[in-house]
Structure formats: structure tokens, C-alpha cells
Amino acid sequence: MIWKRLAGAGTRSSALLIALLMSVVVGADEAQDRVATAKKWIEQEFRVSTLSPEEQLKELQWFIKAAEPYRGMTIHVVSERIDTHWYEASTLARAFREITGINVVHELTGEDDLVKKLQVQMETGQNLYDAYINDSDLIGTHYRYQEVLPLSDYILAEGADITLPTLDLDDFIGLSFVTAPDGKLYQLPDQQFANLYWYRHDWFSRPDLKKQFKRRFGYELDVPRNWSAYEDIADFFTNHVKNLDGQRVYGHMDYARVDPSLGWRMSDAWLSMAGAGDTGLPNGFPVDEWGIRVIGCQPVGASVERGGALNGPAAIYAVNRFIDWLDQYAPPEARSLNFTEAGEWVGKGQIAQQIFWYTAFTAAVSKPGLPVMNPDGTPKWRIAPSPHGAYWDEGMKLGYQDAGSWTLMKNTPPKRRDAAWLYAQFTVSKTVSLQKTLKGLTPIRNSDLMSDAMSKKAPYLGGFVEFYRSRSRDIWTPTGTNVPNYPRLSVLWWKHVSLALVGKLTTVQAMNSLANAMDDELSYIASRHSMICKPVLNELKSQEYWLQQPGAPKAKRDEKPPGETWTYEEAIRAWD
Amino acid sequence: MGLKLWFNPVNWQLLRLVGLFLFFIPFQVNAERLSLVTFLERPLVENVDGKPAGVVVDVVSEMMRRAGMDYNIQLVPPKRALMVAQRTQHHCVFPIERSQEREVFFHWVRPVLISRHGLYSAPDRPIRLQTLSDVQPYVIGSFLGSGVGEYLESFGYTLDYASRNELNIAKLQKRRIDLWASDVLSATYLARENNVKLNDPELIFFTTVRAMACNLDTDATLIDHLQVVLTGMYRDGTVDKLTKSAQAPR
């Protein structure tokens, strides 16, 4: 009927009809081309997936359709500089462009630069990027300042039509890290990595070394359960074994250049492993690993005098051990290294153990030919639960896990934000996520972790898969919601801890000054920033008063209890 | 107090208003005089009759004026500018990239400029780029001291450095480099000055936030005040107006 009406409406209408038909034909051709492109990507790049090829194609067809209004746009996104994001920036951005017609500039930069750029967009309102992949450490900032779009609201309202039906949020293992106290999801995990204990399983298995260790320390050389054992093993390799297979070896590795990453060393988990905070998962309540106490959702102080734990005995113990072990057991180079430089250092084959090692470097230290690899491609090293300090209690988080997560700002123009949301979902879709996980080893989906592909890979990853398949992945958690402004508060860590590190102050003096600076900053942001759940400092009371209360801050304990070790098998079973 | 009350939309609007008011309240400035050093980087900073001028100078001058600060600005070579600000009390340098490596040596006020950086091909020899990994086979021109050049080099790309950015136009035309990495503002300006018709960048690949970096002895309260003033200049559109004529394309 419509054809007849159009055809009978004269020459002009005929021209319109031809144009319409042409556009339909061209549109149909283009859609077919894009489906063919999607098939090509499935066959050539996304061969490993938890979806069947047919399901993958269906998922990609959804992207083709949803992207229509945004075709031809160029969006800018930014993330930190690790293997997973390199894969996204170079391969997934290209696939997304070819499949959907949306161009993506995916920038890679240092974590510190990323946080500062996000801060600039928050403060100035300038649209620097259309989306950020930002650590879930900032969840306390995001929900308080309300500058970040709550995704759980967005996907039910304006983002409903462009939210992937197969997104399957329940499949993400890190959702608790990106959910705020208001129950809303503010970010979507894109990659995760944890800090675990790393050690030379081959050395720890040598009968001669086991015998020597037991004779000297009275217990087995094995995976340390507590810091006393870690310290003994560090002493053993650095000061007693000294040389193995013709080279100098060390019982401990760390990094300590005066640089923002020195702060992350502390704020990421050193204090929580020591046991400075309270029990509670994903973070201690009312005091978490930054030593900040909250009442409800309001921070009330970091210093012991205000009920916090940042200059309490556990925190001072943590920093003392950090400095002592660095000086006594680590290679001399450790003092001049930062996060990036130190990550791959264990691959040189001189390190016996590292208490706090980022699994993001797993791919880098698994390269064939490295002295820490066997000829058959299996590693000589293992990763296991980190040993806990003297103040740690059952029910506390034990280590750090970061969930680099997609973050959309409210001040990004809606159309740009929507297009960026499509790209974000593409990078975590089931079509691509398993392949991405195998490339970068930063898993986000339970379905990927339980896949046959990961089972096949497990023997080559030294315990990585076992960790992520266990309950432990819930006990390694990011910075919690007690931290109301991560960018402003995080800089205080390296500025103050470095004073103790270089000997300008004692550890007690440095931690007192850090705790006071943290309180001052909490007070400053409360007085000058617009936010919900803003800090209200507790009245000052004596340290004695707070140390007598239950939980954190905790009174001084015996900091060198007997060393305890367990076998690797026992250690990995502990994760269940 | 429960969360429900805090999330009441009426309270939230009220809080925003109060917060914004507090954010912009007048501030009693310490009467410290600041000496600012900058360096030639046209068109961001130019030498006009021996005095610094240009878009970033305009932004910084307006910030200092609004902050009620007594100051002077001097043009010096880039390396010296950094050294002077790092070693001399009451001195600041701009516009420099804030990086993790530099972080510990200064107090920072930012952004005095937000730059997009692009890769340009010769007009008669376009090179199609989709992502940064496509750059691998090519020689990229940059200039000595460029943070973006170092950024590209850190990915393993082949860089060819000139002593000054403008020399890259001739190198591009003479095929001594395949691509020129430059901030969009400078590339547009320098191409116009050299009567070269430059295509749009093949790829915008990096964004930098330029800052003013002050000696560590500078009063932290003063730095906070300058930051509040500068942020206000973005919020009220002043920076946008100052940079509009040279806006980078998206």
C-alpha cells in the first residue's frame, strides 16, 4: 500500500522513494558488512569464549544495532598502563570500530596521571574523557561527590536501551568493590588484580635448604603463615644462604623510591596485612586499612586520638617492618625502584620471596626463557596467601585487590557517554572477556574463571587460577568507602612515610604527622567541598582511651610470635 | 544519621549550594610575591617584545590577578625554568606536564592548559591510523624535551627528535619523518605560520594536563587558594573564552 501511495505522488516523491530505497539497500548492505566483520573477529580473535560462536554473533549483532545512532563518532577513554588495557587499546578498540562504526581513542597512562585527570574533570567540569577505567579505590569518593553516574540507575533509565541484555552483572566477581553504601553500583569492573605472596617453590622444595632452615629456626621452610616466619625466611636467604647456583640471592623484595607509588605500597594493604583495621568484608568497619574510622557513612578521624588507627601500634609496626625488611633483606636496588620497575624484578631469579606482589605482573614473569621458568613452560614460583601480621584477626581482609572499573561522569555530554558505555560493555562482554583474561590475566567474570580454557592454563600460572576460583578472592579487597576523597588523601601517604624511610623522622613521628595531616585534610574537604556523608571529626581523646576500646585501634601486642609455616597445598586449601 | 536522610534530593540540592558557596568564598592571601618562569612554546607561550605572551600566559595572569597575588613572569630556557622553580623559594614554572616522576619535586596548580596531542602525516602522503599500535612501522617526529615524545618512545616506537617543534613541518615535507606528534594547538599554529596546509590529525592519541609547578617551600595554603581560583575560572567559562580561538578539534 505505501509503495502505491508514494509512487503516485509525482516526480518529487519518486525521487524521495528512490532515495529511501537506496538508503534501505545501502543500510542493509552496511549492516551485512558489519555482521560479516563481526564473524571475522569471532573466527580470528575471539576464538576462546564461554559463548558459542552463534551466541557471540548474536551478542555482536546487538552491538551493531545499538551503535547505529552513534556511528561515526570518536570517543576518548583512558586507563592505566597494563597488559590488559594495551590489549583493549590496540585490539578491542579496533574490533569495536570495525563492528560498530564508533571510533575509540583508548589512551594509556600512569595510574597517578589517570586519577589526576579524573580529578580535573570532576573539579573543572571539562570533558577530558568520555569514560575512565578507574580503580574501585575511589568508590568512597564517587558516591560522596555524586559526580559519577550511578550505573545501576543509568541502566534502568536513560541507558536501558543501550545496556547489553547479556551483560549478566551477577557474573562479575568484583561487584561488591564498586557498590557504595547507598546500595548503588557506581562502576563496572574491567580488570582485577591482587597482591599475593610470591615465592620460589623450587628453592623452598630443596632438601638441603629445608634441612638448614629447620636446624636454624626449628620449623619447616615453607609458605609463611605469619610475619615472623616471613622475616625468618628473609633472614635465611639474604644472610645465611646468600648465594645459590652461582648468584647472590635475597629473601625479600620491595620498592621504595620516593614517589606516589610508595604511598600505594602502604595504602594498598600493608597496614591491613599487619592488622591495623577492624574485621569486616570487603573492608573493616568502623575502621578500615587506611585507619579512618566512620560513624555510619561519615568519617570521624584517622588519628588514634579521634578513634582512628593510622598512628596506632599496628600501623607503626607495619611501617617499621616495611623499612627494616627493606634495609636488612632486600637487594640494594629496591630503594630506588617504583611500582612499575619493581613488578618484574622477581623474574631475574635472585629473589626467594616477596610478601606483597601484584598478580598483574604474572604474564611478565611467566615468559619462556626467564630464570624463574621451567623448560616445559611451568613456573618455578608459586603464589599463595600473604602472611598476616601480629595484629591481624580472623574476619579481616588479608590483602589488596584492585578492580579497575569503567566510570562514567555525569558532566560528560549524554551522547558521548552513551557511546562510551557501549565500548565499555564490549570490553567486558562474554564474546571477548575470556580471550582478554587469557591475554592479561586480570579476570573479572566467574564464567571465565570456571572455563576449561582456564583449567588448561592453571598449571602454568603458579596458583593464580586456584586463588581466583577460591573464596579468597573476596578477602583481598580494594580501598574501602571510609576514604572520602582518594586523590587528595592518597598523596599524604608517600609524603609522610618517606620522611621515616629517609630517616628525617622516626616511624612514630612520621605516622603521627601522617595521622594529623589526614585529620586536617578530612576537616578541610568537609568545610570546602560539596558532598554527602561528609567527614565530621570526633572530639580529641587520649590514646589510652581509644586503645582500651574493642577493635581498632588495637593496643600493642607481641610483635614477634613464633614463626608458623604451612605447605603450599595447605595454603591453597585455606582459600576454600 | 541514616543514609535515607542524606540521600534526600532536597537536602542534596541544599548541600550542593552550600558547598559551592563555601568553595568560592574569599580568601585572605598571604602577601608572598611569586616569581613565575616560563619558556617559549608557541603559541602557548610567545616572546612579544621581550615579554612572555600567549594563551597560557593569559590564563596564569588572570589567575594571579583574581587571587590578588603580586607576581612577575620571566622567559627562560625550558631546562633552566624547571631547575629554577625546583631550587628557588617563591618560584613557579609553567606550563609543564605533571607526571609521577616530577610529582615529588613541586607543589602543583592545574590545569593551566588541557592539550590534545595528534599524529600528523604529510598532506601528500596520508597514513591511516586506527589505534596507536598502527604506528609501529613509522618514524615519528617530536622535539627534545617533549613528554609526548618520551611517552611514544616508552611503547617502543621509533622517534626522531628535532631541537624545536616547528622543524618537524619541514622534516615531514622532506619525508625525513612519516608522522609528526604534536599538540593540536601548536600544530595548527605552526602549519599556518609556515603556509603548510596540514590535514586533520590521523589520530588524536593523548591528552595532557599542563600545570604550574611551584617550589616546595611555597605556602601550601597559597597553592590551595590558587587552585580554587583556577578551578573557578574553568567553572565560569573564563578559560574557555581565553583559549577559544585556538580550541583543539575533537
Side-chain angles (χ1 to χ4, degrees):
Chain A
M1 184 74 93
I2 191 163
W3 304 114
K4 281 185 182 173
R5 290 219 317 254
L6 279 170
T11 315
R12 198 170 163 209
S13 296
S14 299
L16 274 173
L17 173 66
I18 290 164
L20 179 68
L21 285 171
M22 286 289 285
S23 71
V24 168
V25 172
V26 170
D29 281 353
E30 189 183 338
Q32 277 185 347
D33 285 350
R34 294 198 183 282
V35 172
T37 302
K39 277 184 186 161
K40 183 198 79 180
W41 276 98
I42 291 167
E43 285 161 9
Q44 294 178 3
E45 180 64 29
F46 309 130
R47 283 183 304 233
V48 189
S49 168
T50 54
L51 298 184
S52 67
E54 294 73 28
E55 289 168 327
Q56 285 179 294
L57 188 61
K58 203 174 163 192
E59 197 170 63
L60 294 185
Q61 281 177 310
W62 180 88
F63 277 105
I64 293 169
K65 180 77 183 154
E68 277 173 5
Y70 312 98
R71 207 158 280 160
M73 285 175 69
T74 298
I75 54 163
H76 295 255
V77 306
V78 64
S79 66
E80 67 177 301
R81 204 176 155 166
I82 59 174
D83 288 351
T84 297
H85 297 315
W86 174 249
Y87 179 68
E88 290 169 343
S90 57
T91 303
L92 296 187
R94 188 190 308 274
F96 185 72
R97 176 196 178 120
E98 290 181 6
I99 292 166
T100 67
I102 300 172
N103 307 318
V104 180
V105 177
H106 187 143
E107 292 183 19
L108 304 181
T109 191
E111 174 63 12
D112 191 57
D113 186 44
L114 178 91
V115 169
K116 292 199 164 66
K117 284 174 168 168
L118 180 75
Q119 201 178 7
V120 166
Q121 179 152 349
M122 277 175 69
E123 288 170 6
T124 65
Q126 300 293 299
N127 180 214
L128 264 70
Y129 296 96
D130 303 308
Y132 295 78
I133 304 181
N134 164 233
D135 286 354
S136 61
D137 291 324
L138 271 83
I139 184 70
T141 313
H142 292 334
Y143 96 94
R144 281 189 179 82
Y145 282 79
Q146 297 282 300
E147 298 284 351
V148 162
L149 191 70
L151 291 176
S152 45
D153 290 351
Y154 175 69
I155 62 180
L156 292 175
E158 68 264 40
D161 293 340
I162 48 166
T163 296
L164 180 64
T166 51
L167 184 60
D168 192 5
L169 282 176
D170 291 339
D171 193 32
F172 285 79
I173 58 171
L175 280 197
S176 67
F177 308 155
V178 285
T179 305
D182 59 2
K184 291 183 183 179
L185 186 75
Y186 280 81
Q187 301 168 276
L188 182 69
D190 177 85
Q191 51 84 5
Q192 288 183 213
F193 58 84
N195 268 305
L196 296 174
Y197 172 73
W198 184 100
Y199 76 105
R200 284 295 295 270
H201 187 67
D202 57 336
W203 293 354
F204 278 44
S205 305
R206 277 173 58 159
D208 58 330
L209 296 177
K210 288 184 93 65
K211 199 172 160 187
Q212 277 180 48
F213 184 85
K214 190 159 188 184
R215 196 169 55 226
R216 183 172 292 277
F217 294 99
Y219 57 96
E220 294 294 331
L221 170 61
D222 240 319
V223 178
R225 295 186 71 164
N226 59 12
W227 283 17
S228 298
Y230 183 85
E231 191 170 68
D232 290 345
I233 297 168
D235 178 39
F236 176 66
F237 278 100
T238 301
N239 298 324
H240 303 292
V241 176
K242 288 185 183 171
N243 290 288
L244 272 180
D245 308 325
Q247 66 172 347
R248 179 75 170 99
V249 298
Y250 298 91
H252 172 61
M253 181 61 200
D254 215 322
Y255 66 81
R257 189 201 294 172
V258 178
D259 166 288
S261 62
L262 171 66
W264 310 336
R265 196 85 188 129
M266 293 292 122
S267 62
D268 275 1
W270 204 269
L271 268 66
S272 68
M273 288 193 302
D278 272 313
T279 54
L281 291 170
N283 294 90
F285 185 82
V287 179
D288 83 348
E289 78 266 35
W290 279 47
I292 298 173
R293 174 180 286 270
V294 290
I295 294 178
C297 62
Q298 291 186 275
V300 294
S303 65
V304 174
E305 292 80 356
R306 296 190 192 272
L310 197 47
N311 53 339
I316 289 160
Y317 158 75
V319 177
N320 273 337
R321 288 297 178 278
F322 168 73
I323 296 171
D324 292 348
W325 292 349
L326 182 76
D327 288 341
Q328 292 170 31
Y329 309 124
E333 292 92 331
R335 268 192 175 254
S336 60
L337 301 176
N338 68 12
F339 163 76
T340 317
E341 296 156 342
E344 298 175 27
W345 225 89
V346 296
K348 291 175 190 277
Q350 288 180 267
I351 304 300
Q353 57 168 2
Q354 184 168 344
I355 187 169
F356 190 48
W357 182 79
Y358 291 89
T359 60
F361 295 110
T362 304
V365 300
S366 304
K367 287 178 185 152
L370 284 177
V372 296
M373 295 297 290
N374 291 311
D376 66 356
T378 56
K380 294 176 180 174
W381 50 266
R382 296 286 184 276
I383 43 184
S386 302
H388 58 75
Y391 294 84
W392 187 84
D393 296 313
E394 204 67 43
M396 289 180 65
K397 69 176 287 185
L398 186 48
Y400 175 78
Q401 184 176 189
D402 161 34
S405 305
W406 284 102
T407 309
L408 305 179
M409 305 295 288
K410 282 181 179 171
N411 60 23
T412 299
K415 196 170 179 186
R416 304 192 63 79
R417 194 175 65 205
D418 293 348
W421 175 235
L422 285 174
Y423 175 63
Q425 294 176 98
F426 179 74
T427 63
V428 300
S429 65
K430 288 181 178 173
T431 294
V432 311
S433 72
L434 180 53
Q435 174 69 347
K436 187 175 91 169
T437 300
L438 292 169
K439 292 268 182 189
L441 298 174
T442 53
I444 48 165
R445 285 189 177 274
N446 192 50
S447 56
D448 291 337
L449 284 164
M450 303 312 288
S451 67
D452 290 343
M454 287 304 279
S455 297
K456 281 183 195 155
K457 189 91 178 168
Y460 300 93
L461 299 176
F464 175 89
V465 176
E466 290 80 354
F467 169 78
Y468 270 106
R469 283 181 173 177
S470 76
R471 188 185 154 267
S472 288
R473 70 181 189 220
D474 300 323
I475 305 172
W476 270 252
T477 67
T479 303
T481 55
N482 291 23
V483 179
N485 185 324
Y486 186 94
R488 285 193 70 105
L489 294 165
S490 61
V491 298
L492 300 175
W493 285 92
W494 66 260
K495 287 184 178 172
H496 292 270
V497 170
S498 63
L499 296 174
L501 186 71
V502 301
K504 278 190 180 170
L505 296 178
T506 65
T507 302
V508 173
Q509 288 168 332
M511 296 309 280
N512 282 341
S513 98
L514 172 61
N516 289 334
M518 196 76 81
D519 283 352
D520 289 346
E521 191 63 34
L522 289 171
S523 176
Y524 176 86
I525 60 177
S527 67
R528 300 197 55 98
H529 290 195
S530 169
M531 68 169 84
I532 55 172
C533 293
K534 64 169 56 180
V536 180
L537 292 188
N538 270 342
E539 292 297 321
L540 287 166
K541 287 185 178 166
S542 71
Q543 285 217 359
E544 290 68 34
Y545 168 81
W546 282 107
L547 293 174
Q548 283 167 11
Q549 307 303 311
K554 298 165 190 173
K556 195 164 172 67
R557 294 182 182 176
D558 172 12
E559 294 179 352
K560 184 74 178 178
E564 288 177 36
T565 55
W566 48 2
T567 64
Y568 173 70
E569 288 70 26
E570 286 170 334
I572 58 171
R573 273 202 302 275
W575 292 345
D576 301 322
Chain B
M1 190 172 290
L3 273 173
K4 274 189 178 171
L5 180 61
W6 281 104
F7 281 89
N8 178 309
V10 178
N11 285 347
W12 170 232
Q13 285 306 322
L14 185 66
L15 277 168
R16 283 188 81 90
L17 285 172
V18 171
L20 279 172
F21 171 73
L22 289 171
F23 199 65
F24 295 112
I25 53 173
F27 179 86
Q28 192 60 46
V29 182
N30 185 333
E32 192 174 9
R33 178 188 169 88
L34 283 183
S35 295
L36 311 184
V37 286
T38 186
F39 45 88
L40 275 184
E41 191 180 342
R42 292 184 304 150
L44 313 180
V45 180
E46 298 188 70
N47 184 344
V48 178
D49 302 329
K51 288 183 180 169
V55 64
V56 191
V57 176
D58 293 344
V59 170
V60 170
S61 302
E62 177 63 11
M63 172 182 73
M64 299 300 279
R65 188 191 68 74
R66 287 192 189 190
M69 290 288 306
D70 191 13
Y71 71 101
N72 60 61
I73 308 182
Q74 255 186 301
L75 267 171
V76 295
K79 274 199 171 174
R80 200 172 129 209
L82 270 173
M83 209 181 296
V84 165
Q86 194 177 331
R87 294 182 182 174
T88 326
Q89 222 177 351
H90 307 313
H91 278 69
C92 304
V93 56
F94 72 90
I96 69 166
E97 285 165 33
R98 185 175 182 174
S99 68
Q100 197 169 313
E101 288 70 30
R102 287 174 175 165
E103 180 72 24
V104 301
F105 300 118
F106 299 101
H107 285 310
W108 299 87
V109 181
R110 55 83 184 108
V112 293
L113 183 78
I114 297 166
S115 309
R116 297 266 193 213
H117 297 264
L119 287 160
Y120 295 85
S121 56
D124 60 340
R125 207 160 58 107
I127 295 171
R128 301 294 299 275
L129 303 172
Q130 276 192 36
T131 74
L132 201 52
S133 58
D134 293 336
V135 175
Q136 193 64 53
Y138 302 108
V139 176
I140 309 161
S142 182
F143 63 98
L144 288 170
S146 158
V148 159
E150 287 165 19
Y151 172 78
L152 290 168
E153 205 170 0
S154 73
F155 285 101
Y157 299 136
T158 311
L159 269 291
D160 188 307
Y161 291 103
S163 57
R164 286 174 292 125
N165 200 19
E166 46 262 56
L167 299 177
N168 284 307
I169 295 189
K171 287 172 77 174
L172 199 61
Q173 287 176 311
K174 289 177 183 167
R175 303 200 167 191
R176 285 176 53 201
I177 54 174
D178 302 307
L179 293 160
W180 173 29
S182 172
D183 79 88
V184 175
L185 219 59
S186 299
T188 311
Y189 174 88
L190 295 172
R192 201 185 304 139
E193 192 182 61
N194 288 280
N195 290 321
V196 174
K197 194 179 176 306
L198 205 61
N199 293 331
D200 285 344
E202 301 291 354
L203 181 73
I204 300 272
F205 67 96
F206 198 60
T207 305
T208 52
V209 172
R210 304 284 204 101
M212 183 166 89
C214 295
N215 184 269
L216 284 175
D217 286 333
T218 314
D219 181 358
T221 329
L222 182 78
I223 296 292
D224 273 340
H225 176 54
L226 288 172
Q227 186 60 63
V228 169
V229 170
L230 183 59
T231 303
M233 285 169 56
Y234 277 94
R235 286 281 179 187
D236 70 12
T238 303
V239 175
D240 191 40
K241 274 185 206 153
L242 291 171
T243 55
K244 204 163 194 174
S245 58
Q247 273 292 311
R250 286 197 61 115

